[in-house]
Amino acid sequence: MRSINRVQILGHVGKVVPLQKVTKIDVGTNRYWKDEAGENQTTTDWCTLTILDEKTIEFVGANVSKGDPIYAEARVANSTKCIDIFCQKIPLQTY
């Protein structure tokens, strides 16, 4: 059986994107649930998208800012430089 390494992220940009040869975007996604008392709860999970493609970097620099909704599809690549055990680095590639 073949395997697939794909992730879809739909969230909001957490900070303004710097333009560099490698651009990183922090994206927050929200989770909602009710606790045992029936109260609504929410939490935000953060991931970092790494953009390597020049055209995508230019597009992001011109069109994306803090708070904007963003959708991305990519493959997951773990990084040994990531200190937080829950941190994922997700490199974006053009399809």
Side-chain angles (χ1 to χ4, degrees):
M1 174 173 54
R2 290 186 170 190
S3 61
I4 187 166
N5 181 352
R6 174 180 272 176
V7 64
Q8 296 175 316
I9 301 291
L10 178 60
H12 288 86
V13 176
K15 64 180 175 183
V16 177
V17 180
L19 290 178
Q20 301 170 358
K21 289 184 180 181
V22 175
T23 298
K24 295 183 179 186
I25 305 173
D26 288 338
V27 177
T29 56
N30 294 326
R31 289 188 289 149
Y32 304 97
W33 73 94
K34 288 189 178 186
D35 63 12
E36 294 175 0
E39 298 290 322
N40 291 329
Q41 300 292 321
T42 184
T43 188
T44 303
D45 296 319
W46 292 94
C47 67
T48 301
L49 305 179
T50 303
I51 304 171
L52 305 172
D53 180 65
E54 284 185 37
K55 289 183 180 181
T56 306
I57 290 171
E58 289 176 12
F59 176 82
V60 167
N63 297 292
V64 178
S65 60
K66 182 177 181 176
D68 286 348
I70 190 169
Y71 173 79
E73 286 188 27
R75 67 178 185 82
V76 174
N78 294 320
S79 172
T80 57
K81 295 179 182 176
C82 189
I83 296 170
D84 186 349
I85 195 169
F86 298 108
C87 183
Q88 288 289 335
K89 306 289 185 187
I90 304 170
L92 290 184
Q93 300 173 353
T94 57
Y95 287 96

